[in-house]
Amino acid sequence: MKDVQPSPVIPRPLRIALLCDFHKGVAGTILDHIQGIGAHSRHTVTPINFRGDLPRGLDLARFDGVIIHYSLVACHDSYLSPASRVAIRRFPGLKIAFVQDDYRFIDATVDALAAMKIDILFGLAPPDIIDAVYSPARLPGVRRETVLAGYVPERLLDLEVPPFADRPLDVGYRARKLPAWLGSHAQEKWIIADRFLRDAPAYGLLCNISCRESDRLYGEAWIRFLTNCKAVLGSESGSGVCDFSGAIQQAVEAHQQRQPDTPFEVLRELYFKAEDGRLMMNVVSPRCFEAAALRTLMILYEGHYSGRLQPWRHYVPLRRDHSNMDEVAAILRDPARAQAIVDRAYHEVARNPDNWFRAMVAQMDRAIDDTASPAMLSPARPYAAADLDRLYRATQRRANRRRSVQKLLLGTVEAVDRVLSLLPPDRRLRVRGQLRGGVRRALAARDRLRALMAVEKSILGQFGTVPLAMLVPVLVTGDEGDFIAAIKIRAAFLRLNSARLCLRLDGRRLTLEAVDGDGKDAGKLSPPADPGEIRRLLAEGGILRIRWSGEAFRGISKTLPYGGQRDFPQLVRMGRAWPKQVAALLLWMTVQP
């Protein structure tokens, strides 16, 4: 039974939307995390399963708070679209984010969280480096807390499993070979498998160990696998490299594209030697908790394991050079000693409530109680379960239609390729070239049509009135890119809760600048620019640069129309031929929402 006693500040439990992405075949730790939040919070938590745009028709204002689950990568448009981030930014209630794999996309993630005005952040960064990863200066007023990458799934605790001596496999393991740019620490995931497999035959150990993607196991298949193994290998999760800007990843991947066989040591020396180990994101893996719950002996590289595991008490420590393999093999051949370690791990780790999901959720609820205010409570009628079910089913139908179209297109491409394979080689290459050229032309025509349709929608009044004369330079020159971008910027900022746009004339440079009207930048708003002066400068070629600056809202999107900067060279050229229309467009952009 949930504890629904109100906090001293909030008169009733909050209605919280848990924005997440889960599907058939997703990793069990993700499902356990999502279900654990809903099952153990004193608040009413409703999972909203989607990816990209929020489900059509969903009104966040009918909730008191939202949680952005780590299954939705906050800074990636494919997981959480710019429109979704705008909707979250406008949402007046409590906003919480869970972040996993904190070592990647750090700058982009911080920008996205700041843009959405997150109130509470739960990440894996240990307390000693949390300020370096999630800078208080960039996330002012955000409550930042450290949680574990996973917790004990309580459903496993009472599962009937074979005793240690009756399990057919001596050692099992599954992992993937992680990218080099994650540093030396992450390489241990596959190094332990490679070295153990080389040593195992000398000790007569029966192993099922693989780092191949095709051998990955999920859900119940993974549980069955663990219960068939006397022991499982492991190491700490995380990374020894924090790639703030993504530059390390890009440089390493570019190098590997040119020279795929470059050794890790060479890549480290070239691109991240100074960063490797500087900020350690080493945490206990959820698989350690699963192994403890299923009474499977853990053979682990020595480490801290978030303070939850002790060597020789809860696991068998394996040195990184594997020089103590004799000792490890001896434990596997001594069921009594092995069972004692297994039992301690089960009772002191798996059965410890501090390692259960409800402990994490209790931590979340305490943060909510300390942060939420009565003003965040929504006066709107809450969603009924049937309403949300209809929204979800409609979203699923649209997703299924998209998948069907993609499958049809893929099948068509494969069929054409099979037909082409019957042609002589020279004829086959020629026909393929012609088809690809046709596809490129068709895609270009499609994009142009979509762009003009966007303009048409604007003219029809969806985002505001645009004089029809503005279309002339677009249709005559075909340079619709800057024009469309400008209208999209205007459209986006009409939807932002506190967005303001001002036009600055600095010598021969015009800048469309976004400022946060509710924040410290509100005083930067410029008075209306003189239309006659702008038209004259455009016509005389006195404007050398027209630039968009959205730095105040970085993080909503990596591309236009929201964050970052961009020059509009086409608008400069078009302004000389059509100064009146371009000036009108720029001035129209500055109209306050």
Side-chain angles (χ1 to χ4, degrees):
M1 182 68 68
K2 288 186 182 181
D3 178 11
V4 296
Q5 295 300 315
S7 75
V9 176
I10 310 170
R12 61 168 174 80
L14 298 183
R15 302 191 299 264
I16 299 176
L18 174 57
L19 309 181
C20 54
D21 174 33
F22 60 91
H23 49 82
K24 185 178 180 180
V26 74
T29 52
I30 294 178
L31 283 177
D32 289 337
H33 200 275
I34 292 170
Q35 292 168 356
I37 293 174
H40 302 303
S41 176
R42 78 174 190 87
H43 303 286
T44 302
V45 179
T46 303
I48 306 294
N49 184 20
F50 74 101
R51 179 186 283 203
D53 288 328
L54 287 166
R56 193 178 301 171
L58 179 70
D59 183 7
L60 290 181
R62 294 171 71 171
F63 294 93
D64 307 311
V66 297
I67 297 173
I68 304 169
H69 190 257
Y70 68 74
S71 55
L72 293 171
V73 183
C75 63
H76 274 208
D77 292 355
S78 60
Y79 285 91
L80 200 62
S81 71
S84 297
R85 289 196 284 271
V86 169
I88 294 170
R89 178 187 174 86
R90 295 183 63 187
F91 175 67
L94 184 69
K95 288 176 272 194
I96 303 166
F98 280 86
V99 178
Q100 194 92 323
D101 298 342
D102 307 44
Y103 48 78
R104 59 179 185 168
F105 321 132
I106 296 175
D107 286 343
T109 297
V110 170
D111 285 344
L113 298 179
M116 291 185 288
K117 299 187 175 180
I118 295 298
D119 299 299
I120 307 173
L121 168 63
F122 295 100
L124 306 187
D128 58 324
I129 66 169
I130 195 168
D131 283 352
V133 177
Y134 297 114
S135 166
R138 296 177 64 188
L139 292 171
V142 175
R143 180 175 179 139
R144 302 157 304 141
E145 299 211 1
T146 301
V147 292
L148 300 180
Y151 292 80
V152 177
E154 293 180 51
R155 60 186 173 83
L156 302 182
L157 292 174
D158 298 318
L159 195 67
E160 289 290 333
V161 299
F164 177 88
D166 293 347
R167 301 189 182 194
L169 290 170
D170 288 317
V171 181
Y173 186 59
R174 288 293 185 273
R176 54 168 49 104
K177 196 168 184 178
L178 295 173
W181 62 268
L182 290 177
S184 303
H185 178 78
Q187 304 311 300
E188 294 180 351
K189 289 284 186 185
W190 67 267
I191 289 173
I192 190 173
D194 188 53
R195 290 180 177 172
F196 201 93
L197 271 177
R198 289 203 307 265
D199 295 337
Y203 298 92
L205 297 177
L206 180 60
C207 300
N208 187 333
I209 296 171
S210 176
C211 293
R212 290 192 298 267
E213 196 66 29
S214 58
D215 292 336
R216 299 279 293 177
L217 296 172
Y218 297 97
E220 291 306 312
W222 170 247
I223 301 303
R224 287 194 300 271
F225 177 73
L226 274 185
T227 57
N228 281 322
C229 298
K230 290 184 175 70
V232 64
L233 299 179
S235 62
E236 289 180 302
S237 286
S239 169
V241 173
C242 287
D243 190 5
F244 284 83
S245 66
I248 295 174
Q249 178 181 356
Q250 292 173 6
V252 171
E253 289 177 348
H255 185 113
Q256 289 179 312
Q257 284 182 348
R258 298 189 304 269
Q259 301 176 38
D261 298 327
T262 305
F264 169 80
E265 292 75 18
V266 174
L267 295 170
R268 178 183 182 274
E269 187 70 26
L270 288 173
Y271 300 111
F272 54 89
K273 180 179 179 180
E275 290 299 312
D276 197 12
R278 185 176 70 86
L279 296 174
M280 287 297 296
M281 197 82 68
N282 52 322
V283 296
V284 64
S285 167
R287 288 190 169 183
C288 293
F289 291 135
E290 291 172 343
L294 295 171
R295 281 80 97 193
T296 302
L297 182 69
M298 290 179 278
I299 300 172
L300 310 177
Y301 276 163
E302 294 174 295
H304 179 61
Y305 293 95
S306 303
R308 308 298 167 125
L309 304 177
Q310 298 176 30
W312 291 117
R313 184 165 189 85
H314 305 128
Y315 71 92
V316 177
L318 176 62
R319 295 178 192 145
R320 282 169 172 75
D321 60 2
H322 292 228
S323 60
N324 66 327
M325 270 295 294
D326 289 347
E327 201 172 20
V328 172
I331 291 288
L332 287 170
R333 294 290 176 251
D334 188 339
R337 291 179 63 196
Q339 192 65 57
I341 296 173
V342 166
D343 290 343
R344 285 194 295 270
Y346 176 72
H347 290 289
E348 298 176 6
V349 177
R351 284 276 178 191
N352 184 347
D354 289 343
N355 297 327
W356 295 355
F357 277 102
R358 63 184 66 197
M360 179 204 72
V361 178
Q363 179 184 355
M364 181 190 79
D365 283 353
R366 287 193 297 272
I368 290 174
D369 291 344
D370 292 344
T371 308
S373 67
M376 293 177 174
L377 299 180
S378 171
R381 178 176 60 88
Y383 273 108
D387 295 335
L388 288 172
D389 187 56
R390 279 192 294 271
L391 279 174
Y392 177 73
R393 282 188 278 111
T395 301
Q396 288 299 105
R397 284 196 297 271
R398 286 191 290 272
N400 290 337
R401 284 197 295 268
R402 285 195 299 271
R403 282 194 291 268
S404 297
V405 171
Q406 291 169 355
K407 187 176 180 180
L408 177 62
L409 291 174
L410 180 62
T412 303
V413 170
E414 290 175 347
V416 170
D417 206 52
R418 283 196 295 271
V419 172
L420 290 177
S421 67
L422 302 176
L423 297 174
D426 57 338
R427 176 66 174 158
R428 181 165 66 241
L429 292 173
R430 191 159 58 250
V431 172
R432 276 182 176 158
Q434 292 169 349
L435 285 175
R436 286 171 181 163
V439 169
R440 282 196 296 270
R441 288 191 294 273
L443 291 175
R446 180 203 64 184
D447 292 342
R448 183 177 175 81
L449 178 61
R450 284 180 176 174
L452 292 177
M453 286 174 63
V455 176
E456 181 183 1
K457 287 182 180 179
S458 298
I459 294 168
L460 292 175
Q462 183 177 358
F463 301 136
T465 302
V466 181
L468 187 60
M470 289 186 191
L471 274 178
V472 174
V474 176
L475 297 175
V476 171
T477 68
D479 289 335
E480 70 268 16
D482 287 351
F483 188 87
I484 299 301
I487 289 180
K488 286 172 70 179
I489 290 169
R490 167 65 170 165
F493 277 87
L494 278 172
R495 292 178 173 180
L496 282 171
N497 196 39
S498 60
R500 298 294 184 268
L501 294 165
C502 59
L503 186 62
R504 301 189 187 283
L505 179 59
D506 179 16
R508 305 181 74 182
R509 179 173 58 196
L510 271 172
T511 303
L512 277 164
E513 186 173 5
V515 296
D516 188 344
D518 289 345
K520 62 182 180 181
D521 293 333
K524 292 184 179 179
L525 291 175
S526 297
D530 179 15
E533 177 68 7
I534 291 178
R535 283 198 299 269
R536 182 184 66 78
L537 289 171
L538 285 170
E540 295 175 357
I543 300 294
L544 296 181
R545 170 180 285 182
I546 299 176
R547 162 164 286 201
W548 153 252
S549 176
E551 292 300 305
F553 294 97
R554 283 186 62 197
I556 291 180
S557 177
K558 294 178 289 184
T559 57
L560 284 174
Y562 305 101
Q565 295 189 0
R566 172 180 163 169
D567 285 336
F568 291 151
Q570 276 91 344
L571 284 185
V572 175
R573 291 193 291 270
M574 290 160 62
R576 295 172 186 169
W578 293 279
K580 181 178 178 181
Q581 287 82 359
V582 173
L585 171 65
L586 295 171
L587 291 170
W588 171 77
M589 292 283 292
T590 68
V591 176
Q592 300 304 305

